[in-house]
């Protein structure tokens, strides 16, 4: 204690009255903090409330450093356990107090938000499971389109047929005009419901039978065939090295978004970001 620096704190049990060492009611769990060379503060066990100040002057017989072990003692194991229990109750009280401070309207909004997230989680779980968690060759599925490959007036999904289930359960799919270059994890596609699952009704029977001879195409190329407005980007590829933010970029000039085919690795492009 004599070598303590200003700002040092020590847990202890002390007698606040210092009249009778045997009077257990006056002993409390406290924290002592050195605030000046010759001054200590005695705080409550949370170190938030000042109980008293104690002078600790060199040459005097009184003070925290001189009376350590007599009126200021290290906490016992029982004292430590009691302090931890009190701290836990304090945390629980604060948490309950915060819950009580929430207005009914805010509580309702929070509950609605929680319910919305829970419903969305169930939808995603159901989608991830597919048909009993598995897809088989011949199933008609919908493949989600990236926003840069779709137009605002066309659908957001491609209707395709599963032509091969690869190792790791990834799916290879084919559309009317070709086989999609990418393969898809089961949780990224969804099974068409009811009668729509019939590949003959969806016009995918020939694609299913002849998929090995079909050309490999991208999602954008597949979406262009079924688009009502010609698809996103048409056949345009700009090959720009800059930011594509003026009419020197053919995609920007035509009012369409750049695709990954335009300039792979060009991080400067501003015509393919949502911003």
């Amino acid at each position: 204690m004599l070598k303590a620096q200003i700002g040092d704190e020590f847990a202890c049990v002390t007698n606040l009255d210092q009249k009778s060492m045997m009077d257990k009611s006056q002993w409390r769990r406290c924290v002592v903090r050195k605030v000046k060379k010759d001054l200590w503060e005695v705080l409550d066990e949370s170190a938030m409330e000042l109980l008293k100040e104690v002078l600790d002057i060199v040459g005097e017989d009184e003070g925290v450093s001189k009376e350590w072990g007599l009126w200021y003692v290290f906490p016992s194991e029982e004292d430590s356990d009691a302090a931890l229990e009190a701290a836990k109750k304090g945390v629980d009280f604060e948490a309950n107090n915060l819950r009580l401070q929430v207005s009914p309207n805010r509580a309702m909004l929070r509950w609605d938000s929680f319910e919305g997230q829970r419903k969305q989680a169930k939808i995603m779980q159901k989608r991830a499971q597919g048909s009993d968690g598995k897809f088989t060759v011949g199933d008609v599925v919908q493949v989600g389109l990236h926003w840069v490959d779709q137009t605002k007036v066309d659908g957001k999904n491609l209707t395709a047929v599963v032509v091969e289930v690869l190792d790791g359960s990834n799916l290879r799919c084919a559309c009317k005009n070709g086989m999609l270059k990418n393969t898809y994890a089961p949780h990224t596609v969804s099974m068409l419901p009811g009668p729509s699952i019939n590949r003959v009704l969806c016009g995918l029977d020939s694609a299913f039978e002849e998929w090995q001879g079909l050309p490999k195409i991208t999602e954008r190329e597949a979406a262009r065939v079924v688009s009502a407005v010609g698809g996103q980007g048409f056949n345009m590829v700009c090959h720009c090295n800059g930011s594509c933010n003026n009419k020197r970029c053919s995609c920007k000039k035509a009012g369409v978004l750049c695709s990954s085919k335009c300039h792979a690795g060009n991080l400067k492009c501003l015509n393919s970001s949502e911003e």
Side-chain angles (χ1 to χ4, degrees), residues 4-268:
Q5 303 293 318
I6 294 176
D8 287 351
E9 296 179 347
F10 302 89
C12 69
V13 179
T14 184
N15 188 305
L16 296 176
D17 194 356
Q18 291 193 355
K19 291 180 180 179
S20 173
M21 189 176 293
M22 303 303 295
D23 187 0
K24 299 297 184 182
S25 64
Q26 295 300 316
W27 287 83
R28 291 183 56 179
R29 299 186 299 272
C30 298
V31 174
V32 291
R33 177 193 296 154
K34 189 169 184 177
V35 293
K36 293 182 181 179
K37 182 179 180 181
D38 55 0
L39 182 65
W40 290 76
E41 290 180 341
V42 180
L43 309 166
D44 69 341
E45 62 183 309
S46 66
M48 299 296 292
E49 179 183 352
L50 177 64
L51 302 179
K52 65 176 183 178
E53 294 181 334
V54 180
L55 289 172
D56 199 347
I57 302 174
V58 177
E60 297 290 338
D61 294 332
E62 297 180 348
V64 174
S65 63
K66 285 83 171 181
E67 297 175 326
W68 190 265
L70 181 63
W71 296 106
Y72 303 91
V73 297
F74 283 111
S76 65
E77 186 175 347
E78 291 78 8
D79 292 323
S80 299
D81 292 341
L84 288 173
E85 185 64 26
K88 183 177 182 301
K89 289 181 179 178
V91 170
D92 292 341
F93 174 80
E94 290 297 328
N96 289 331
N97 191 37
L98 287 173
R99 281 195 291 268
L100 290 173
Q101 291 177 9
V102 177
S103 67
N105 186 48
R106 180 172 293 179
M108 182 180 68
L109 292 174
R110 288 181 177 177
W111 176 255
D112 290 343
S113 177
F114 167 75
E115 283 294 305
Q117 290 181 342
R118 189 168 64 88
K119 290 179 181 178
Q120 185 65 24
K122 285 186 176 181
I123 293 173
M124 293 300 293
Q125 185 180 30
K126 184 176 179 181
R127 181 177 180 181
Q129 290 174 345
S131 176
D132 297 327
K134 297 180 180 178
F135 287 91
T136 59
V137 173
D139 288 342
V140 179
V141 297
Q142 285 197 316
V143 177
L145 283 171
H146 192 281
W147 65 273
V148 298
D149 294 326
Q150 60 186 241
T151 67
K152 293 182 179 180
V153 297
D154 293 322
K156 309 305 178 185
N157 300 285
L158 283 175
T159 301
V161 60
V162 177
V163 295
E164 190 176 9
V165 179
L166 306 173
D167 293 339
S169 300
N170 275 14
L171 309 175
R172 189 181 302 281
C173 301
C175 296
K176 293 180 181 179
N177 56 319
M179 183 177 63
L180 296 175
K181 290 182 178 180
N182 295 324
T183 59
Y184 306 93
H187 69 273
T188 62
V189 301
S190 57
M191 183 81 73
L192 281 180
S196 300
I197 201 170
N198 190 314
R199 59 177 179 268
V200 177
L201 294 177
C202 294
L204 295 171
D205 194 44
S206 60
F208 175 72
E209 298 292 342
E210 303 168 6
W211 67 273
Q212 291 179 328
L214 294 176
K216 291 185 178 181
I217 60 174
T218 63
E219 288 90 348
R220 176 177 288 201
E221 291 171 323
R224 184 181 302 125
V225 174
V226 296
S227 173
V229 293
Q232 173 63 275
F234 302 95
N235 293 315
M236 197 169 297
V237 179
C238 68
H239 299 298
C240 294
N241 294 321
S243 58
C244 301
N245 61 350
N246 54 49
K247 292 188 177 181
R248 284 182 293 180
C249 169
S250 56
C251 291
K252 183 70 175 179
K253 184 176 180 180
V256 297
L257 296 175
C258 296
S259 70
S260 58
K261 292 171 58 179
C262 292
H263 35 53
N266 180 13
L267 301 179
K268 299 178 183 179

